[in-house]
Amino acid sequence: MAASGRLGTFRLPPLPTIRELIKLFRLRALKQLSQNFLLDLRLTDKIVRQAGNLRHAHVYEVGPGPGGITRSILNAGVAELLVVEKDIRFIPGLQMLSDAAPGKLRIVHGDVLTFKVENAFPESLRRQWEDDPPDVHIIGNLPFSVSTPLIIKWLENMSRRDGPFTFGRTQMTLTFQKEVAERLTASTGSKQRSRLSVMAQYLCHVQQVLTIPGRAFVPKPEVDVGVVHFTPLTQPQIEQPFKLVEKVVLNAFQFRRKYCHRGLSMLFPKAQRLESTGKLLELADVDPTLRPSKLSVSHFKSLCDVYRKMCDEDPHLFAYNFRDELRQLATKTLKGKNTKERATHLQDASSTQVQQRV
């Protein structure tokens, strides 16, 4: 069955529906892999349209499953579609699609978290970062279990301009749990403002372009699904290494209901915490009584710039992790306690022996 909508000139020949395909190959969604199938090709067409004009583009689809979105992408007139699927049960159904679209669909049985997409498309597709985005797109109905680590991985790739972003400012159109989609797009001061908001928005223009009700999926998830479109910025709003930005943002949001100075203070060892936190906030010109959700990307730029200078002055500072210090303190306390208990035990034993001799 061809996908609905006018997406391109190419059309797949008549095929079993996704529902028929699931029955044919006895497929079922695995809960442990957070799998949910989207069977309505009108909805998959809508998702694909949000990616923009895909005619003659090269597309990398992650987690195609039974191939609903795959069909809509092929019908959009792409030059080539590369799909990476971890679950081998879906490969025969995808192969059926490949046979129906000769030369259009390439199937890889692999893990999107480790797959090297930078080697998958022709070198001729590469563009300068400042140019318009290349004819390379990432599209996917992500399993909920991998969506957050995967987008963080791709954001780090984006900051380094490697991986999928070797080709330039590759655009992404991805599904997330609605709550995660709202976090990615949340504005300063919003209740949904989080680490994900800042990490995505300092590197990208991020827009939630579609909401799909949970009832459209099989099995029905407990939440609705948001479709988010990412376009990398020509110039990141924070020009510091990704890991440094991530550390500052992560610490700021770990006590999200408290003033921002509480979380930011954990960037520093206990012995210098008060003084260094005051210096950081003063030089960054950030009000210590702002809640983390009230911190804009501009605030985080100032904080990261100042923290970078402090790390340059103290080469050991960036490696500091307050959890390591807490563990060391707990171990030291436990050793001290055990030593005291052993001493008390030996003293009691000695007193007992003296009493027995008497």
Side-chain angles (χ1 to χ4, degrees):
M1 178 183 291
S4 62
R6 299 180 59 81
L7 292 175
T9 55
F10 175 82
R11 272 290 177 267
L12 286 167
L15 291 167
T17 66
I18 299 298
R19 195 178 295 276
E20 290 168 345
L21 204 64
I22 289 171
K23 289 182 179 179
L24 178 65
F25 292 105
R26 298 181 180 179
L27 302 173
R28 63 183 181 85
L30 297 180
K31 187 175 182 180
Q32 62 267 34
L33 296 180
S34 304
Q35 292 176 340
N36 301 94
F37 303 151
L38 189 55
L39 307 183
D40 188 339
L41 294 185
R42 292 170 299 179
L43 287 175
T44 60
D45 281 357
K46 281 186 177 181
I47 292 172
V48 170
R49 277 196 289 268
Q50 299 306 320
N53 183 9
L54 297 184
R55 188 159 182 158
H56 306 309
H58 289 70
V59 178
Y60 170 35
E61 184 189 359
V62 294
I69 291 178
T70 311
R71 296 185 186 208
S72 293
I73 296 172
L74 289 171
N75 279 325
V78 298
E80 181 186 22
L81 171 58
L82 168 68
V83 298
V84 176
E85 177 55 62
K86 185 177 182 179
D87 192 335
I88 198 168
R89 298 175 305 143
F90 296 120
I91 301 300
L94 293 170
Q95 188 59 53
M96 182 184 293
L97 282 179
S98 180
D99 294 341
K104 291 274 188 181
L105 177 59
R106 185 154 44 112
I107 304 165
V108 173
H109 176 223
D111 189 339
V112 295
L113 288 170
T114 57
F115 181 71
K116 303 291 185 183
V117 69
E118 58 268 37
N119 302 322
F121 293 130
E123 291 280 327
S124 60
L125 293 172
R126 296 186 183 224
R127 298 287 181 269
Q128 293 296 318
W129 194 260
E130 295 75 19
D131 292 344
D132 290 338
D135 283 333
V136 178
H137 293 257
I138 300 175
I139 300 175
N141 175 26
L142 302 181
F144 294 159
S145 59
V146 302
S147 61
T148 298
L150 187 57
I151 193 59
I152 289 294
K153 175 182 182 293
W154 279 337
L155 289 170
E156 184 169 7
N157 288 144
M158 193 184 298
S159 73
R160 297 197 306 250
R161 302 181 184 181
D162 61 13
F165 306 96
T166 302
F167 303 98
R169 294 188 298 120
T170 299
Q171 297 178 79
M172 303 187 290
T173 307
L174 305 167
T175 65
F176 299 89
Q177 286 177 280
K178 186 181 177 184
E179 181 181 341
V180 177
E182 288 173 347
R183 288 177 187 170
L184 284 162
T185 58
S187 58
T188 305
S190 165
K191 289 182 180 180
Q192 295 290 346
R193 186 76 166 174
S194 69
R195 170 184 70 122
L196 277 179
S197 316
V198 179
M199 297 306 295
Q201 292 171 29
Y202 96 86
L203 290 165
C204 302
H205 173 67
V206 192
Q207 185 181 9
Q208 184 173 341
V209 292
L210 195 63
T211 300
I212 303 175
R215 65 178 180 275
F217 293 84
V218 177
K220 178 183 176 297
E222 295 179 0
V223 295
D224 291 340
V225 170
V227 181
V228 181
H229 186 73
F230 302 80
T231 304
L233 300 172
T234 54
Q235 195 73 24
Q237 295 190 62
I238 303 173
E239 297 190 73
Q240 295 295 348
F242 184 86
K243 290 297 184 186
L244 184 144
V245 179
E246 186 177 37
K247 184 178 182 183
V248 172
V249 174
L250 187 63
N251 276 274
F253 277 99
Q254 68 178 319
F255 301 111
R256 59 179 300 112
R257 294 185 179 180
K258 298 184 181 295
Y259 294 143
C260 67
H261 72 82
R262 177 69 178 89
L264 291 168
S265 70
M266 308 312 283
L267 290 167
F268 306 102
K270 189 175 181 180
Q272 65 187 73
R273 187 163 292 159
L274 187 62
E275 179 184 353
S276 295
T277 306
K279 178 181 177 182
L280 171 68
L281 290 162
E282 182 180 359
L283 292 177
D285 194 24
V286 172
D287 182 349
T289 63
L290 285 175
R291 308 285 182 188
S293 62
K294 299 287 187 182
L295 296 175
S296 65
V297 173
S298 179
H299 283 130
F300 277 108
K301 178 186 184 308
S302 298
L303 289 166
C304 290
D305 289 345
V306 173
Y307 181 65
R308 171 65 183 271
K309 290 178 181 178
M310 296 173 80
C311 289
D312 289 342
E313 293 167 1
D314 180 359
H316 302 291
L317 181 57
F318 183 70
Y320 169 75
N321 185 315
F322 78 92
R323 290 185 176 86
D324 291 339
E325 186 176 33
L326 286 176
R327 279 192 289 268
Q328 291 169 7
L329 181 61
T331 301
K332 186 176 179 181
T333 302
L334 184 60
K335 284 182 178 178
K337 183 179 180 181
N338 290 341
T339 301
K340 185 177 180 181
E341 286 176 348
R342 283 198 298 271
T344 302
H345 176 73
L346 290 172
Q347 186 177 14
D348 290 345
S350 177
S351 299
T352 301
Q353 289 173 0
V354 170
Q355 288 172 1
Q356 287 173 345
R357 285 198 296 270
V358 172

